[in-house]
Amino acid sequence: MTVLRKRVVQDNFDLNERSQLVLRSIIENYIQSSEPIGSRSLSKSLGVKLSPATIRNIMSDLADLGFLIQTHTSAGRVPTDSAYRFYVDSLAPPASIPEQIKQKLSAVPNEHGTQVEEILAETVHLLADLTKFACVVSTPKAAVSRLQRIELIKLSEDRILVILVTKAGVVRDKIIFVNESHSQKFLNSVTEFLNKKFKDRSMQEIRDEIHQSLVNDRSRYHELLAHAVRIGKKAFELNQPGEMLIDGQMNLLLDSHFHELSSVRSLIDAFDQKSAILKILDDSMKQKGVHIFIGVENDFKLLQDCTLITASYRNNQNVLGSIGVVGPTSMDYKRIISMVDYTAHILSKTITEQSYD
Amino acid sequence: MTVLRKRVVQDNFDLNERSQLVLRSIIENYIQSSEPIGSRSLSKSLGVKLSPATIRNIMSDLADLGFLIQTHTSAGRVPTDSAYRFYVDSLAPPASIPEQIKQKLSAVPNEHGTQVEEILAETVHLLADLTKFACVVSTPKAAVSRLQRIELIKLSEDRILVILVTKAGVVRDKIIFVNESHSQKFLNSVTEFLNKKFKDRSMQEIRDEIHQSLVNDRSRYHELLAHAVRIGKKAFELNQPGEMLIDGQMNLLLDSHFHELSSVRSLIDAFDQKSAILKILDDSMKQKGVHIFIGVENDFKLLQDCTLITASYRNNQNVLGSIGVVGPTSMDYKRIISMVDYTAHILSKTITEQSYD
DNA sequence: AATTAGCACTCATTGGGGGGTAGTGCTAAT
DNA sequence: ATTAGCACTACCCCCCAATGAGTGCTAATT
């Protein structure tokens, strides 16, 4: 499992073993309790024997380094975003997923013939349920997916049903409208032509090539091919901007960190702007592994009180999309990271089984 | 616009003009302010000149009739579910929808070729946005929809892609697995057979007939037809239990009526049980017009703090599904009712344009 | 007979004050 | 280097009293 660091922690500090222990302990306690951690209570819960006073000194240093803040003068300390970052990068022990959870995640429908969208919906629902946070997943990008099969079906004089089957097993249908009526027989020959010419090519390539054909080779094609290319152009036009499924938004409301109405409101707004989240998911597809965006590390302002953890899923050939979890910055990182990672793997496996590659 | 009354109000009471005025005024004030209405403030806001004392007497009577309750002894009065029912049945003036809203609702995508699911998604999103409540819509029931076209496409040795196009313009695709490999040519003749035999028939009929064929006529069919029937059986098997789209759940959180965590939680649970809501939508498809379920009138316990308003949408031939709004019992009934009604009409119109009937 | 004014009463809400508590920082002793 | 001790801080909780919006009832008024 590769965990990318989005933002490198400043290097000009020196945390000895003990400070690290204290920091880790504060973070883990805080993740559990959601309440500021004081020196006294920490002294008790800490394995090592250290007096509250000593811990206070250490805490003071950690505060100076920007890892802890106080909500007010006489309150305990709370980890900052940098603290979580350091924790994730250096302190968090790798988590193993309980067998029970693994089983549940593996129970994603994988009978033969399950549609990709269904698999995604089930997966994101399951992950939301297990993490108790909000989960998102982007559907396979049409542009990168490669053609397995195209089919043209005459529905009426001016309507043609286009079926696109991609290598990843995604079936897309849309209806195109044409000016002149074509016989099904003619459409069959167009189908054959398009399949022969474009099978295994990516949608983007296909579109580009058709575009070129229309621009350059207008004269070279005879009548039938001209029709075919024109229909093909419409058929391969990308009408879907890319989609995203969300599940478990409501889970966040039950989380103790989002009890203030203001933060809930910004979350609501965040999920309304699907395109912004989709962009993050798309970006994180570009690099392998688990991506973690903690609080202010999110470029998307409305998510700056949250942590977003994503991982891409793929089939044999291509990275297809990303799945992610949105939760409070004080989430149980090791648990959630490993779950996102594991889910992405299972999802990749399931989808690969559906693929034609 | 037909507005059905789910539960008839008791008839053994006698509300004179003035009592009705007071009740209506209380309800409308409460809908606006979400705060208990007292006799003094009502006396001021009421058009007619009545002293607080008089109003108190009237209020007391209304309370006896079960139309008003107090949250505590010295608080103002709040309308009961029965009051809303009476209001909806007798007091609410018919509302006209502002031209602006009409325009927005009419802006639902209706370009040629838009898929039904997309139309539904856009519509429910728009309605949620305009009402500021949660909205649901059920997708066209597969069982009632009638076949326009079926197509079988060989994807691999054991996979056949089945495309079903219904009269309502809904395209469903699924992949079926077969034991023996069939040539595309063979599939084409099966396609032709199935289309000829079953076009314009409802899915339910088709399934029944195929079932009969398998049971009774086994011997009569020659080899090809036997295959065709077997493939047809799989193709027409209903794998989708019926679906529902939800939008704007989060709107409810911002509503002043759901500020207590407990009621939010029950709403969350309610929306998790899609099947229960879907059942209500399905039931209300059976009768024309707008259906209103106020508070306890909902059989579904988790919705008993809410009002659900539904209306069915249809194409020329069939009632296809229902669209609904879930909000607090103290919603602006005349506004919401007319919006749901109008939306259902627009939706019907849009979908009819996509249909083949 | 219907309406209203007056009055006693109720009860949620608000704001202030005090004790308790969990925390800090600093200093001096170990 | 660690710890004990101590002064200090600020939240939280509880109590209390004042406030105010509301009611129900009764007697006076129209």
Side-chain angles (χ1 to χ4, degrees), chain A residues 184-207:
Chain A
Q184 180 65 51
K185 201 164 179 188
F186 172 73
L187 291 182
N188 287 344
S189 53
V190 174
T191 297
E192 201 182 338
F193 169 75
L194 293 174
N195 274 315
K196 196 172 273 170
K197 191 162 170 66
F198 293 125
K199 181 159 188 218
D200 297 335
R201 311 277 293 280
S202 84
M203 299 296 170
Q204 189 57 55
E205 281 172 27
I206 298 174
R207 273 197 296 280

Side-chain angles (χ1 to χ4, degrees), chain A residues 115-129:
Chain A
Q115 303 279 305
V116 170
E117 272 85 356
E118 253 177 86
I119 296 173
L120 293 180
E122 291 266 359
T123 302
V124 78
H125 184 75
L126 200 54
L127 188 59
D129 197 47

Side-chain angles (χ1 to χ4, degrees), chain A residues 222-292:
Chain A
H222 64 63
E223 186 67 7
L224 184 143
L225 282 190
H227 276 304
V229 169
R230 238 175 296 142
I231 293 172
K233 178 176 184 337
K234 284 195 184 172
F236 288 110
E237 251 163 24
L238 187 65
N239 57 350
Q240 333 211 28
E243 286 186 18
M244 186 176 80
L245 307 176
I246 304 178
D247 207 319
Q249 301 172 62
M250 293 300 211
N251 286 340
L252 295 180
L253 303 177
L254 302 177
D255 191 279
S256 42
H257 285 274
F258 295 108
H259 269 2
E260 312 110 48
L261 189 65
S262 63
S263 59
V264 171
R265 190 182 282 268
S266 75
L267 272 180
I268 295 172
D269 292 344
F271 284 116
D272 256 2
Q273 293 182 34
K274 287 193 177 189
S275 59
I277 297 178
L278 195 54
K279 189 175 173 311
I280 304 173
L281 290 177
D282 283 351
D283 283 350
S284 66
M285 270 173 59
K286 290 173 190 155
Q287 282 173 294
K288 268 187 73 170
V290 176
H291 294 242
I292 303 167

Side-chain angles (χ1 to χ4, degrees), chain A residues 250 253 261 264 268, chain B residues 128 131-136 246-260 263-264 266-268 270-271 277 302-303 305-307 325-329 331:
Chain A
M250 293 300 211
L253 303 177
L261 189 65
V264 171
I268 295 172
Chain B
T131 58
K132 297 293 174 208
F133 295 134
C135 294
V136 293
I246 304 178
D247 207 319
Q249 300 171 64
M250 292 301 209
N251 286 339
L252 295 180
L253 304 176
L254 303 177
D255 191 279
S256 40
H257 287 273
F258 297 108
H259 269 1
E260 312 109 48
S263 59
V264 171
S266 76
L267 272 179
I268 296 173
F271 284 116
I277 298 179
L302 292 175
L303 286 184
D305 289 329
C306 305
T307 283
V325 172
V326 178
T329 50
M331 61 171 63

